[in-house]
């Protein structure tokens, strides 16, 4: 397993709409394994392939306490989302150190393939539902900061660009 580099906002590649996976094969299974390793290494609870500059519809998630219940969603499709929503504080591995409130459905139902190509239906609520919605946004080229006001978004962009320039000089 390899640790993959994670794109950081405002990298324009984060806005690429991911293409469906044509076939779940060894290449996709390796991508899933590398994404698990990358997610755990970065202390994350979810990661979309878009974030590691692979523009295919692949997401990995593990919201378990023990960090031992990972699952992959390949070509995820939202079947249902509750009308009830909740404002929750979100962060993102592509927007390091930034957390802000985003309104999300409290429960969802998703159809996807697993890493073996088997179709599965996932019903999720609470934090798990929020995480899946967040990662599926990445597949559509959307980063959570786009839910924020233009003023907040510009402040975040300026702060992260400044940090990136300082890191390059170091």
């Amino acid at each position: 397993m390899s640790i993959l580099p994670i794109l950081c906002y405002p990298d324009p590649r984060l806005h690429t709409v991911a293409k469906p996976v044509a076939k779940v094969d060894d290449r996709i299974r390796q991508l899933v394994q590398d994404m698990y390793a990358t997610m755990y290494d970065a202390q994350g609870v979810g990661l979309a392939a878009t974030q590691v500059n692979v523009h295919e519809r692949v997401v990995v998630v593990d919201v378990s306490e023990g960090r031992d219940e990972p699952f992959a969603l390949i070509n995820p499709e939202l079947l249902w989302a509750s009308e009830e929503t909740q404002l929750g504080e979100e962060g993102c591995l592509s927007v390091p150190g930034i957390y802000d409130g985003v309104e999300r459905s409290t429960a969802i139902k998703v159809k996807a393939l697993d890493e073996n190509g088997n179709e599965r239906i996932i019903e999720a609520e609470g934090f798990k539902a929020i995480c899946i919605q967040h990662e599926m946004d990445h597949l559509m080229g959307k980063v959570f900061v786009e839910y924020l006001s233009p003023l907040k978004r510009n402040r975040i962009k300026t702060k992260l660009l400044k940090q990136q320039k300082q890191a390059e000089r170091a």
Side-chain angles (χ1 to χ4, degrees):
M1 288 191 280
S2 301
I3 306 296
L4 305 171
I6 297 172
L7 299 177
C8 281
Y9 183 80
D11 192 309
R13 294 172 291 182
L14 288 168
H15 300 296
T16 305
V17 176
K19 293 178 174 27
V21 171
K23 180 181 175 193
V24 178
D25 55 15
D26 287 343
R27 180 184 68 83
I28 294 297
R29 280 187 280 280
Q30 185 61 57
L31 173 63
V32 167
Q33 293 306 310
D34 291 346
M35 287 174 63
Y36 285 144
T38 303
M39 175 183 70
Y40 289 130
D41 181 69
Q43 313 281 303
V45 293
L47 185 68
T50 302
Q51 294 175 269
V52 293
N53 203 27
V54 176
H55 303 287
E56 292 181 86
R57 294 185 57 79
V58 179
V59 163
V60 297
V61 174
D62 186 350
V63 295
S64 67
E65 286 281 322
R67 312 291 287 135
D68 57 358
E69 296 175 28
F71 61 93
L73 300 174
I74 299 168
N75 296 335
E77 180 185 330
L78 186 65
L79 299 176
W80 173 84
S82 67
E83 287 183 26
E84 183 184 343
T85 61
Q86 164 184 337
L87 182 66
E89 185 123 311
E90 289 189 24
C92 180
L93 296 177
S94 291
V95 191
I98 305 294
Y99 300 88
D100 213 317
V102 176
E103 192 91 18
R104 300 266 188 200
S105 292
T106 57
I108 59 169
K109 187 178 197 177
V110 175
K111 178 171 79 170
L113 301 175
D114 66 16
E115 56 262 54
N116 297 312
N118 299 316
E119 189 175 288
R120 60 189 290 189
I121 303 284
I122 304 248
E123 293 185 31
E125 54 187 35
F127 185 56
K128 185 176 181 180
I130 289 165
C131 185
I132 292 170
Q133 291 171 82
H134 175 109
E135 299 310 331
M136 286 179 66
D137 274 356
H138 278 298
L139 300 180
M140 299 308 297
K142 189 168 188 173
V143 181
F144 92 96
V145 296
E146 291 170 48
Y147 288 101
L148 308 177
S149 71
L151 178 64
K152 276 188 177 181
R153 200 167 41 247
N154 284 332
R155 284 184 178 158
I156 291 167
K157 187 184 291 187
T158 301
K159 179 180 180 178
L160 292 176
L161 286 171
K162 184 178 176 184
Q163 288 174 355
Q164 287 170 16
K165 284 179 184 160
Q166 288 172 341
E168 287 168 10
R169 279 190 235 128

